[in-house]
Amino acid sequence: MDPKEIDFYSLGFNFIETKTMYIADHKDGEWSDGQLVPFSNFEISPAACVLNYGQGIFEGMKALRTKDGDITLFRPEENARRLNKSASRMLMPNYDIELFIKALKQVVKANEDFIPPYDSGGALYIRPLMIGNGPILGVKPALEYKLIIYTVPVGPYFPEGFRGIDLEMSTIYTRAAPGGTGSAKTCSNYAGSMLPVKETKSRGFSQIIFLDAVNREYIEEVGTANFFAVIDGVLITPKTSGTILPGITRKSILELGNKKLGMVTEERDISYKEIFEGSCTETFCAGTAAVITPIKSVVLEDKKRIFSDGEPGEMTRKLYELLTGIQRMDIEDEFGWIVKV
Ligand SMILES: *Cc1c(COP(=O)(O)O)cnc(C)c1O
């Protein structure tokens, strides 16, 4: 698409084709030199491992335009590390961290015209994707892999913007079980969440809250974002014990809460029951796409907890202002999180 035809001020979270993507191929135990190529379809064997058995992993990041016109990435090394962790879990090859960051910079630069302006609040979403590309018949890892990095200009993930969303806890569906792949960003975790999310949305909710698969009691995640609660003034998020995706936004929020807002932070199991008690004063979800999105109400069967009429809680707002301020370089980055393109 011609970037001149894009209204950067009314973007949602939908696919828009940009100019250039990055590709590297892994054969005989080695990665080819990565290169920038025009965004386009490519050939794939019908027997490719990713198509038949879901051997694929991905990442999600954002490039932002600052007030001064710079382009920034947020903690890209963390994404590189997590990509390699996901790869190892799925018996896929690792990719050099320095090369990955260089590739990100190249592909963002090549698609610079698609980066939404500072005042639009939008971002250039970056999607690194690694797939088992080689043909296979029995269930075993592919012999060839492809790394692709493409970009899409995006606006807010939830059309509500920085306003509260209504969520429903599921007693029927779970996302990940102990011993499974919940902590890897693998494609195969997401197909199974589409039906639960569709049913929840058909009842008027924005997203689903998954509870743990063993007890159906402890909160795991909000669709594709991590969950946070303020309980008795303590900032709490579910601990990452294998079924939760270790979000980079999650990790950053814990640090900001602790070091910048003087909050006590905890990573522990959160029973759904705690959300329906008065000591829980705020909840929100967090991720690259969702940034920090306040939760306005939570429903579990006939129980309902209303937090506000849409206004974010005080801590939610402070964390949002800090995080987005650092990401857009409006606030000094004393953590060394920002990488300029
Ligand atoms: C990507 C993702 C997150 C958020 O991770 P960030 O690194 O903060 O973007 C949370 N939960 C799931 C299931 C995810 O896939």
Side-chain angles (χ1 to χ4, degrees):
M1 187 163 178
D2 185 344
K4 289 187 200 73
E5 285 167 22
I6 299 173
D7 178 4
F8 288 110
Y9 294 84
S10 62
L11 288 173
F13 205 86
N14 303 302
F15 179 77
I16 293 172
E17 187 173 315
T18 57
K19 202 172 95 205
T20 304
M21 64 182 183
Y22 179 91
I23 290 225
D25 288 291
H26 190 272
K27 267 182 209 162
D28 304 323
E30 258 183 77
W31 284 106
S32 66
D33 289 340
Q35 41 177 327
L36 295 177
V37 296
F39 185 96
S40 67
N41 296 349
F42 55 83
E43 281 197 0
I44 187 163
S45 165
C49 195
V50 67
L51 298 182
N52 292 267
Y53 303 126
Q55 194 192 23
I57 56 172
F58 66 94
E59 276 299 322
M61 329 175 46
K62 279 174 173 172
L64 297 177
R65 182 73 77 179
T66 69
K67 203 184 263 174
D68 294 339
D70 285 325
I71 305 166
T72 62
L73 299 173
F74 186 67
R75 310 187 79 175
E77 202 179 316
E78 295 285 336
N79 294 88
R81 288 221 180 85
R82 188 171 64 190
L83 181 81
N84 284 340
K85 277 201 187 125
S86 301
S88 297
R89 177 65 180 83
M90 309 306 285
L91 280 181
M92 302 171 78
N94 281 22
Y95 200 74
D96 181 81
I97 291 178
E98 291 307 314
L99 259 183
F100 181 78
I101 294 171
K102 196 175 145 209
L104 292 171
K105 289 180 180 173
Q106 284 177 342
V107 77
V108 167
K109 198 81 198 153
N111 293 302
E112 184 168 0
D113 293 346
F114 291 91
I115 306 175
Y118 168 81
D119 66 350
S120 73
L124 188 69
Y125 187 76
I126 309 169
R127 169 52 58 84
L129 175 69
M130 196 197 291
I131 56 172
N133 189 37
I136 212 84
L137 187 59
V139 176
K140 46 185 188 290
L143 296 170
E144 292 172 17
Y145 295 88
K146 196 182 269 298
L147 174 72
I148 303 147
I149 307 176
Y150 64 89
T151 63
V152 180
V154 296
Y157 191 69
F158 293 108
E160 289 88 346
F162 190 56
R163 296 277 300 171
I165 54 173
D166 298 305
L167 301 181
E168 181 184 45
M169 290 182 182
S170 179
T171 52
I172 300 168
Y173 299 109
T174 58
R175 191 190 85 93
T181 55
S183 67
K185 226 171 160 75
T186 169
C187 304
S188 43
N189 284 342
Y190 299 84
S193 72
M194 291 175 186
L195 176 69
V197 170
K198 184 184 173 199
E199 289 181 4
T200 284
K201 286 190 174 171
S202 76
R203 289 188 286 267
F205 300 98
S206 296
Q207 256 298 346
I208 193 168
I209 298 181
F210 287 114
L211 300 176
D212 77 284
V214 177
N215 303 293
R216 306 288 172 105
E217 170 158 1
Y218 302 105
I219 295 176
E220 299 243 302
E221 297 212 44
V222 179
T224 58
N226 292 116
F227 178 85
F228 280 85
V230 179
I231 302 175
D232 286 325
V234 179
L235 180 65
I236 309 174
T237 192
K239 67 173 192 280
T240 51
S241 50
T243 52
I244 286 172
L245 202 287
I248 295 157
T249 317
R250 173 188 179 279
K251 183 173 170 174
S252 308
I253 287 168
L254 286 172
E255 266 192 83
L256 289 175
N258 195 263
K259 296 192 183 138
K260 298 296 292 179
L261 297 179
M263 297 181 82
V264 177
T265 56
E266 257 182 65
E267 295 174 69
R268 65 156 170 89
D269 290 336
I270 305 174
S271 167
Y272 72 81
K273 292 173 194 148
E274 295 179 73
I275 303 310
F276 296 93
E277 286 165 11
S279 50
C280 178
T281 48
E282 297 177 35
T283 54
F284 62 89
C285 60
T288 297
V291 192
I292 289 177
T293 300
I295 298 168
K296 167 172 125 199
S297 74
V298 175
V299 163
L300 174 71
E301 292 170 339
D302 55 357
K303 285 195 276 295
K304 181 161 190 175
R305 174 72 202 270
I306 299 171
F307 288 97
S308 76
D309 57 3
E311 279 303 298
E314 189 191 338
M315 286 303 154
T316 308
R317 176 184 293 285
K318 283 185 178 163
L319 286 163
Y320 176 84
E321 284 170 359
L322 262 174
L323 178 71
T324 55
I326 292 171
Q327 287 174 334
R328 292 214 182 254
M329 288 177 71
D330 294 331
I331 296 176
E332 194 198 325
D333 166 32
E334 58 193 80
F335 299 95
W337 287 344
I338 300 303
V339 171
K340 281 195 198 175
V341 172

